[in-house]
């Protein structure tokens, strides 16, 4: 180096100069850009507002780009509902579906500030300032949306700054709710087992496992596949199969990672009533009831196992394994589809699985800062929430997708088959939009159900003979009747929708606990029964090291905030 | 390159081969060359040096929506979080262990395969073997891990079936639930995927060895193994050393896809790497600052390892990279 110093200094300075100028140029460019986009973001919104209010009749085509936080399939280009929307409102949609891990995808989008017009709500996005406040937009341009959410207005406000950023897709009910279909958490069991055992009343965890053990002994294989007694899914964010059962077993509703007693939240994973559940699973593992591969499988493998019909039971939420059940129906294995049971530890406990639907906070659409047509979008949503469009979106087109008899909406047998045909739906339903958009739930003004499956006539007509047999065996009208009628929700319910705030101590504690649970609970279940206590004690010790207090404090603080804000309407 | 071109262009000082002061006349003489190198320099500056500016994030509580001036500076807080976390030593151990296993196994198998391929006289057969062995390189890791998970499954995984048929085990082993197997599984998957591809460069190096050396060795009575050890291996030594130094710099990079896709709760203690840790507590929490701190740590360690390897090699009188 020494001898070359002069020339290399020269070279070095050249390089530095060049790089410096470039860096500066780059920085300058960036600043200009961001300033420019900010201005752009504001301007068209105003001009658009001016335009649309002036010429309401003229339909101007515009496209809305949408990111959906779920895997899905693109609708066909000639989809009749989207075509109708485009003809009557001018709006067309450009959907992007999630591929891979949601958090990662969002992380990348946030880092690049690269958002489409509309996105599925997520606290990560709200924290990053990706959404625009909607209150004023709604007040000004969307009287129907305002009416739709009137009762829920305060609940929708972000606890951190009081703005409304997202429009919950589910849980805004007008009047009564109908319950024939239960999509929440439960211990699920194959219908064939209940029939085989002569329709027993199954109330407790012990009774449930007794049934599984006996059935497995009698049927070591199902359609050639070895029988799996009890399946547990613990994969990525779908972790409730392993984590959530204990709170239900002591008669509490789904509050996520905590049990709320008298408005005070308490972590339950390391409590004795949780231990009782995992000890039972440990015992069952000793009997070979638990799937050996339960803890190494991913979601796809889980669905594949369920779809084979060889899995007798599991703890899960119905919507999470709906695909597997659809597949079983297609294979005509109705006896292998599942019934949800609200199990508890002992018969003195009243089950509380079925709850009155709570507003689905932190879900639904939010309009991003990049959206140029915010006003048009909110107006479109306002149009879509009106009854005529809601009917189109749920039931379809009268005469094509449903028929009306004496004012009641019904389906013909063929229409009923279509309604569950995934391929048909891609070209005849606007499900990609509808799933996340604000929607009416309950009943239309004319008394018809907003959900075809919940229309009593439809539910009865749609039942398979096998289901009728089971329901008659129990003397009930629908599978939801297994569950106790829920009382009114506690004001601040449910705790699982509380935003822990990204990167906060509470969130880090939650991540850590999730990690420990994922690591120790499977170990405890798979341990020999004599080692169970040792593993459990290690688990409790490790959990003790986590900042549980930060986690509980944040939840309690938010419960109190909800209690104060939500009860005063 | 530069120097050779310099020599040809400016031939006024034929004796001073190495040191030539840069003067304006020289620059003028070489202006075409300089212009030609501008786009490349810009490319490197723009994509390799400018992003280093992002390292400032590691010392802030970075929030994406805010401008640079509005960020709060927190000093070494994120590094502290990283280094004081209970899990950090464990993930560091896993990263290094898997990296080193992959490095050593990868090297040995690639060199051995190259030597063996070189001994095959039938060209068609040689080509066939080579093609088959490097095809897996073109599969993405997500597919490879899918294949690995399926072959290791208890029900009908080929590994368990074969071992059972050979009566080496009595009952199927749940490979992916035992931490002690995990590093090995990762190493084996890497070899399966990359070994064929890695041999290509060695085969090229072997092809450049002077055939006269082999003939001379043969006349001297060296058998096949002698020729392998005393002609082929020394002939490709330079290549091996250079590649080794380069790979040492990448030891920490091996640990994301495979452990992430094959790992699960039961073997977390063996499967979690720095990258996964950073993903969990950084990116997934919206804590880009922590993620950046993790990235800086990795870069520093990698550069240190690279320099160390280079220095060692120089000390031993071998080829070196820098």
């Amino acid at each position: 180096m020494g001898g070359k110093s002069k020339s290399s200094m020269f070279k070095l300075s050249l390089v530095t100069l060049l790089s410096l100028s470039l860096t500066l140029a780059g920085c300058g460019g960036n600043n200009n850009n961001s300033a420019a986009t900010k201005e752009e973001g504001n301007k068209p919104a105003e001009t658009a507002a001016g335009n649309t209010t002036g010429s309401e009749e003229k339909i101007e085509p515009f496209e809305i780009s949408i990111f959906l936080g779920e895997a899905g399939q693109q609708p066909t280009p000639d989809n009749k509902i989207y075509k109708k929307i485009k003809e009557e409102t001018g709006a067309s949609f450009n959907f992007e579906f999630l591929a891979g891990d949601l958090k990662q995808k969002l992380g990348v989008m946030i880092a690049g500030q690269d958002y489409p017009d509309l996105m599925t709500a997520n606290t990560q996005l709200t924290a990053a300032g990706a959404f625009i406040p909607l209150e004023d937009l709604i007040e000004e341009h969307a009287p129907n949306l305002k009416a739709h959410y009137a009762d829920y207005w305060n609940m929708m406000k972000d606890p951190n700054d009081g703005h409304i950023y997202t429009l919950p897709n589910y849980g805004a009910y007008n009047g009564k709710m109908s319950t024939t279909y239960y999509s929440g958490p439960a211990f699920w069991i194959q219908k064939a087992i209940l029939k085989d055992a002569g329709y027993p009343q199954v109330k407790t965890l012990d009774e449930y496992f007794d049934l599984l053990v006996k059935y497995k002994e009698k049927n070591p294989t199902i359609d050639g596949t070895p029988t799996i007694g009890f399946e547990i899914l613990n994969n990525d964010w779908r972790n409730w199969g392993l984590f959530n059962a204990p709170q239900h077993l002591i008669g509490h509703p789904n509050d996520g990672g905590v049990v709320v007693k008298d408005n005070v939240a308490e972590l339950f994973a390391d409590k004795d009533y949780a231990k009782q559940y995992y000890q039972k699973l440990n015992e069952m593992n000793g009997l070979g009831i638990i799937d050996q591969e339960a803890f190494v499988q991913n979601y796809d493998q889980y669905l594949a196992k369920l779809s084979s019909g060889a899995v007798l039971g599991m703890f899960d939420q119905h919507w999470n394994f709906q695909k597997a059940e659809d597949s079983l129906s297609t294979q005509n294995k109705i006896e292998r589809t599942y019934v949800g049971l609200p199990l508890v530890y002992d018969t003195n406990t009243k089950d509380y699985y079925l709850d009155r639907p709570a507003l689905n906070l932190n879900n639904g659409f939010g309009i991003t800062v990049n959206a140029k047509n915010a006003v048009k979008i909110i107006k479109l949503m306002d149009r879509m929430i009106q009854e005529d469009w809601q009917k189109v979106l749920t039931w379809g087109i009268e005469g094509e997708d449903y028929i009306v008899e004496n004012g009641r909406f019904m389906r013909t047998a063929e229409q009923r088959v279509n309604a569950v045909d995934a391929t048909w739906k891609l070209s005849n339903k606007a499900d990609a939009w509808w799933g996340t958009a604000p929607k009416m739930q309950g009943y239309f003004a004319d008394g018809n159900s907003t959900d075809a499956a919940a229309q009593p006539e439809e539910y009865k007509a749609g039942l398979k003979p096998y289901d009728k047999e089971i329901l008659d065996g129990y003397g009930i009208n629908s599978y939801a009747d297994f569950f106790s009628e829920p009382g009114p929700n506690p004001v601040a319910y449910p705790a699982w929708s509380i935003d822990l705030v990204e990167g906060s101590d509470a969130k880090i504690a939650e991540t850590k606990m999730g990690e420990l649970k994922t690591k120790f609970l499977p170990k405890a279940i798979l341990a020999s029964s004599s080692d169970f206590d040792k593993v459990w004690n290690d688990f409790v010790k490790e959990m003790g090291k986590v900042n549980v207090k930060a986690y509980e404090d944040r939840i309690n603080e938010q419960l109190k905030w909800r209690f104060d804000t939500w009860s005063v309407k | 390159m530069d120097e050779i071109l310099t020599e040809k262009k400016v031939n006024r000082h034929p004796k001073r081969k190495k040191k030539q002061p840069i003067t304006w006349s020289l620059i003028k003489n070489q202006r075409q060359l300089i212009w030609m190198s501008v786009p490349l320099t810009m490319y490197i500056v723009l994509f390799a040096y400018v992003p280093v500016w992002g390292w400032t994030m590691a010392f802030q509580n970075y929030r994406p929506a805010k401008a640079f001036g509005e960020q709060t500076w927190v000093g070494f807080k994120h590094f502290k979080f990283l280094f004081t976390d209970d899990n950090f030593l464990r993930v560091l151990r896993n990263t290094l262990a898997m990296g080193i296993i992959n490095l050593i196994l990868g090297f040995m198998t690639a060199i051995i395969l190259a030597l063996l391929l070189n001994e095959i006289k039938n060209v068609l057969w040689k080509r066939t073997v080579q093609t088959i062995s490097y095809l897996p390189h073109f599969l993405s890791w997500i597919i490879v891990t899918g294949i690995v998970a399926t072959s290791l499954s208890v029900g009908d995984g080929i590994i368990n079936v074969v071992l059972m048929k050979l009566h080496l085990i009595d009952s199927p082993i749940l490979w992916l639930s035992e931490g002690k197997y995990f590093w090995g599984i990762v190493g084996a998957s890497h070899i399966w995927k990359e070994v064929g591809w890695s041999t290509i460069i060695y085969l090229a190096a072997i092809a450049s060895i002077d055939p006269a050396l082999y003939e001379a060795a043969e006349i001297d009575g060296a058998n096949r193994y002698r020729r392998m050890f005393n002609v082929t291996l020394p002939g490709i030594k330079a290549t091996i050393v250079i590649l080794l130094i380069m790979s040492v710099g990448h030891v920490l990079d091996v640990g994301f896809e495979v452990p992430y896709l094959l790992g699960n709760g039961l073997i977390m203690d063996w499967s979690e790497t720095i990258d996964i840790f950073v993903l969990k507590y950084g990116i997934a929490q919206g804590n880009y600052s922590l993620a950046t701190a993790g990235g800086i740590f990795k870069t520093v360690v990698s550069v240190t390892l690279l320099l160390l390897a280079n220095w060692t090699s120089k000390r031993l009188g071998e080829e070196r990279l820098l």
Side-chain angles (χ1 to χ4, degrees):
Chain A
M1 258 312 247
K4 276 198 256 176
S5 67
K6 207 173 155 195
S7 62
S8 60
M9 272 299 281
F10 187 81
K11 268 191 218 164
L12 199 74
S13 54
L14 257 184
V15 170
T16 337
L17 224 133
L18 191 63
S19 61
L20 230 147
S21 63
L22 269 171
T23 326
L24 289 178
C27 283
N30 267 346
N31 289 344
N32 290 343
N33 276 345
S34 57
T37 45
K38 259 183 206 159
E39 270 168 38
E40 253 174 72
N42 290 335
K43 253 192 223 156
E46 283 161 28
T47 48
N51 279 346
T52 41
T53 41
S55 53
E56 188 78 0
E57 269 72 55
K58 216 180 104 202
I59 296 161
E60 281 175 50
F62 66 107
E63 197 189 60
I64 307 175
S65 52
I66 300 177
F67 173 78
L68 295 171
E70 262 182 7
Q73 272 182 296
Q74 289 288 353
T76 56
D78 58 344
N79 181 298
K80 73 177 178 197
I81 307 287
Y82 291 118
K83 215 161 125 193
K84 190 172 155 72
I85 295 178
K86 174 142 201 199
E87 275 164 14
E88 295 183 23
T89 68
S92 54
F93 304 108
N94 175 13
F95 293 106
E96 186 193 347
F97 294 91
L98 174 72
D101 184 68
L102 178 63
K103 282 191 164 181
Q104 244 168 294
K105 172 78 187 167
L106 291 181
V108 173
M109 282 175 132
I110 291 169
Q113 300 272 292
D114 176 20
Y115 310 121
D117 299 335
L118 272 183
M119 287 179 80
T120 316
N122 191 292
T123 50
Q124 215 173 326
L125 289 169
T126 318
F131 293 129
I132 58 170
L134 299 175
E135 318 79 273
D136 295 345
L137 271 178
I138 295 177
E139 295 275 5
E140 203 174 321
H141 302 287
N144 297 302
L145 268 185
K146 172 82 195 187
H148 175 67
Y149 286 122
D151 291 346
Y152 303 92
W153 197 251
N154 280 335
M155 299 188 174
M156 287 156 61
K157 289 183 179 163
D158 187 279
N160 301 313
D161 62 10
H163 283 302
I164 293 176
Y165 292 108
T166 55
L167 301 171
N169 51 347
Y170 288 98
Y173 277 78
N174 55 337
K176 251 175 56 141
M177 45 169 274
S178 47
T179 48
T180 44
Y181 178 81
Y182 178 66
S183 69
F187 280 89
W188 300 87
I189 191 168
Q190 283 187 352
K191 289 167 184 162
I193 304 176
L194 293 179
K195 188 183 173 193
D196 182 72
Y199 311 116
Q201 293 295 328
V202 191
K203 295 279 181 208
T204 68
L205 190 65
D206 294 336
E207 291 167 355
Y208 172 79
F209 275 115
D210 282 348
L211 275 182
L212 295 190
V213 172
K214 273 185 205 139
Y215 193 84
K216 186 168 188 257
E217 257 168 37
K218 256 208 289 190
N219 306 277
T221 60
I222 291 174
D223 301 330
T225 317
T227 307
I228 295 170
F230 190 71
E231 188 60 81
I232 301 168
L233 175 70
N234 175 33
N235 183 246
D236 205 5
W237 60 279
R238 299 172 199 271
N239 51 26
W240 53 82
L242 180 65
F243 295 171
N244 280 14
Q247 63 185 332
H248 294 295
L249 289 166
I250 59 165
H252 277 271
N254 184 9
D255 264 321
V258 291
V259 159
V260 181
K261 281 183 199 160
D262 307 323
N263 291 316
V264 178
E266 179 191 69
L267 179 79
F268 66 79
D270 55 353
K271 300 293 178 292
D272 278 347
Y273 52 84
K275 182 181 176 184
Q276 191 182 343
Y277 176 61
Y278 296 112
Q279 192 142 29
K280 182 78 190 176
L281 290 184
N282 175 278
E283 188 190 314
M284 285 304 123
N285 183 55
L287 295 177
I289 296 298
I290 313 271
D291 178 22
Q292 268 193 294
E293 282 184 307
F295 304 115
V296 297
Q297 71 190 341
N298 59 31
Y299 182 56
D300 293 332
Q301 288 170 307
Y302 172 76
L303 285 185
K305 280 180 193 165
L306 260 55
S307 306
S308 74
V311 176
L312 301 184
M314 64 274 166
F315 176 87
D316 199 353
Q317 309 210 18
H318 203 174
W319 57 268
N320 192 41
F321 66 92
Q322 187 65 55
K323 275 188 216 157
E325 217 168 43
D326 288 349
S327 158
L328 285 167
S329 301
T330 321
Q331 299 168 57
N332 220 358
K333 293 182 180 174
I334 306 299
E335 74 280 9
R336 299 291 166 210
T337 55
Y338 296 90
V339 179
L341 298 171
L343 301 181
V344 286
Y345 280 132
D346 56 73
T347 43
N348 300 326
T349 315
K350 184 175 176 242
D351 65 275
Y352 196 167
Y353 285 68
L354 179 68
D355 51 5
R356 292 204 184 167
L359 196 63
N360 205 16
L361 290 176
N362 300 325
N363 282 288
F365 279 132
I367 302 181
T368 69
V369 287
N370 290 5
K372 295 204 187 81
N373 290 319
V375 173
K376 280 191 178 179
I377 294 172
I378 208 80
K379 284 195 165 178
L380 174 74
M381 287 180 163
D382 192 56
R383 185 70 193 90
M384 290 292 127
I385 197 68
Q386 291 169 36
E387 273 205 16
D388 52 338
W389 270 110
Q390 285 292 303
K391 282 176 186 167
V392 171
L393 289 167
T394 56
W395 284 87
I397 312 281
E398 187 182 335
E400 289 177 31
D401 306 324
Y402 67 100
I403 49 173
V404 183
E405 277 178 19
N406 305 323
R408 299 297 291 167
F409 290 4
M410 313 261 270
R411 283 172 173 155
T412 64
E414 192 200 340
Q415 287 162 350
R416 214 165 281 138
V417 172
N418 279 341
V420 293
D421 181 340
T423 325
W424 181 86
K425 281 203 249 182
L426 285 180
S427 52
N428 293 287
K429 297 279 277 180
D431 280 350
W433 164 260
W434 190 75
T436 320
K439 62 178 71 64
M440 289 178 72
Q441 283 184 279
Y443 296 94
F444 292 122
D446 57 16
N448 284 299
S449 171
T450 54
D451 174 11
Q455 183 90 325
E457 295 94 330
E458 269 301 297
Y459 180 77
K460 283 240 169 67
L463 279 178
K464 301 261 171 24
Y466 196 88
D467 288 308
K468 284 201 183 108
E469 209 181 321
I470 303 265
L471 291 175
D472 288 345
Y474 278 103
I476 51 178
N477 290 321
S478 82
Y479 289 117
D481 290 352
F482 277 119
F483 297 83
S484 297
E485 189 70 28
N489 289 332
V491 179
Y493 180 78
W496 62 258
S497 62
I498 284 174
D499 175 11
L500 293 175
V501 182
E502 305 300 330
S504 69
D505 287 349
K507 189 84 185 179
I508 290 175
E510 192 202 28
T511 308
K512 285 225 150 133
M513 289 189 293
E515 207 170 82
L516 288 175
K517 287 191 266 185
T518 306
K519 184 165 125 186
F520 278 99
L521 296 179
K523 258 188 205 163
I525 295 168
L526 298 181
S528 64
S529 55
S530 54
D531 284 345
F532 177 82
D533 278 322
K534 198 178 140 285
V535 179
W536 183 262
N537 290 338
D538 286 348
F539 170 60
V540 174
K541 207 173 86 193
E542 289 290 325
M543 288 289 273
K545 288 187 196 159
V546 179
N547 193 356
V548 178
K549 197 171 169 302
Y551 174 73
E552 288 179 345
D553 283 355
R554 168 71 187 169
I555 291 179
N556 281 320
E557 176 211 320
Q558 285 299 301
L559 286 177
K560 184 161 181 322
W561 180 87
R562 284 182 175 182
F563 200 77
D564 295 344
T565 326
W566 291 8
S567 23
V568 199
K569 270 181 192 165
Chain B
M1 266 306 243
D2 253 359
E3 265 163 354
I4 296 169
L5 286 167
T6 317
E7 272 179 322
K8 280 191 181 162
K9 274 266 172 189
V10 194
N11 224 352
R12 277 168 294 176
H13 315 282
K15 274 176 194 168
R16 299 176 61 186
K17 274 192 176 172
K18 278 196 172 169
K19 289 164 209 163
Q20 189 165 48
I22 297 184
T23 59
W24 287 112
S25 69
L26 183 70
I27 291 178
K28 211 176 155 197
N29 260 328
Q30 301 185 353
R31 61 188 183 280
Q32 292 94 338
L33 281 175
I34 291 179
W35 280 117
M36 277 160 71
S37 67
V38 163
L40 207 71
T41 320
M42 274 173 61
Y43 171 85
I44 289 174
V45 169
L46 203 60
F47 291 101
Y49 288 96
V50 173
V52 174
W53 176 250
W55 278 15
T56 50
M57 269 197 267
F59 306 98
Q60 306 168 330
N61 264 342
Y62 180 76
R63 287 270 152 249
K66 288 185 188 166
F68 183 75
E70 297 165 21
Q71 308 284 357
T72 29
W73 293 86
V74 293
F76 284 91
K77 183 185 147 198
H78 297 292
F79 289 93
K80 232 184 213 163
F81 177 89
L82 199 65
F83 297 139
T84 52
D85 194 275
D86 295 344
N87 291 330
F88 186 73
L89 271 184
R90 209 183 34 144
V91 298
L92 182 64
R93 176 199 69 175
N94 293 343
T95 313
L96 281 174
M98 277 185 258
I100 291 167
I101 289 175
N102 289 348
L103 179 74
I104 294 174
L105 276 183
F107 251 85
M108 290 190 1
T109 48
I111 293 167
I112 291 171
L113 185 65
L115 289 177
L116 294 179
L117 280 175
N118 187 46
E119 296 301 317
I120 296 174
K121 296 283 178 271
N122 183 331
V123 178
L124 187 69
W125 175 237
K126 184 173 162 180
R127 292 271 155 82
T128 314
V129 172
Q130 212 190 332
T131 309
I132 291 174
S133 71
Y134 77 59
L135 273 182
H137 171 79
F138 298 103
L139 296 176
S140 75
W141 270 117
I142 186 95
I143 296 170
V144 174
T145 49
I147 295 173
V148 171
T150 314
S151 8
L152 293 176
S153 83
V154 181
D156 47 4
I158 184 161
I159 305 285
N160 277 319
V161 171
V162 167
L163 289 179
M164 294 273 278
K165 289 262 158 71
L166 291 174
H167 297 287
L168 289 172
I169 51 173
D170 303 325
S171 60
I173 296 176
L174 199 51
W175 293 99
L176 286 173
S177 70
E178 291 276 352
K180 60 184 175 204
Y181 301 133
F182 190 74
W183 294 350
I185 293 171
V186 171
S189 321
H190 264 277
I191 291 169
W192 182 77
K193 186 170 182 302
E194 300 297 347
V195 70
W197 189 252
S198 323
T199 53
I200 293 178
I201 200 157
Y202 295 114
L203 285 173
I206 291 173
S208 69
I209 295 173
D210 187 357
L213 290 174
Y214 288 103
E215 283 159 25
E218 213 172 341
I219 291 167
D220 286 347
N223 61 17
R224 268 194 165 192
Y225 298 104
R226 281 265 135 246
R227 269 176 280 153
M228 243 196 242
F229 277 105
N230 294 7
V231 181
T232 318
L233 271 180
I236 60 171
K237 198 174 78 178
T239 316
I240 295 178
V241 172
I242 290 287
L243 284 180
L244 191 66
I245 294 173
M246 280 167 72
S247 327
V248 164
H250 287 288
V251 161
L252 291 186
D253 282 344
V254 292
F256 182 68
E257 283 148 310
V258 192
Y260 184 73
L261 294 166
L262 282 179
N264 60 63
L266 284 170
I267 48 173
M268 206 184 272
D269 282 349
W270 288 269
S271 70
E272 248 193 352
T273 61
I274 296 178
D275 289 352
I276 297 177
F277 182 81
V278 163
L279 178 76
K280 243 189 212 166
Y281 289 96
I283 312 266
Q285 304 255 348
N287 190 347
Y288 301 102
S289 301
L290 181 68
T292 313
I296 293 178
F297 171 74
K298 269 185 60 186
T299 308
V300 170
V301 173
S302 298
V303 170
T304 316
L305 284 176
L306 185 73
L307 291 178
L308 206 69
N310 193 55
W311 179 81
T312 316
S313 172
K314 185 175 154 193
R315 267 312 184 74
L316 297 174
E318 297 290 346
E319 293 288 328
R320 60 203 161 97
L321 190 65
L322 301 169

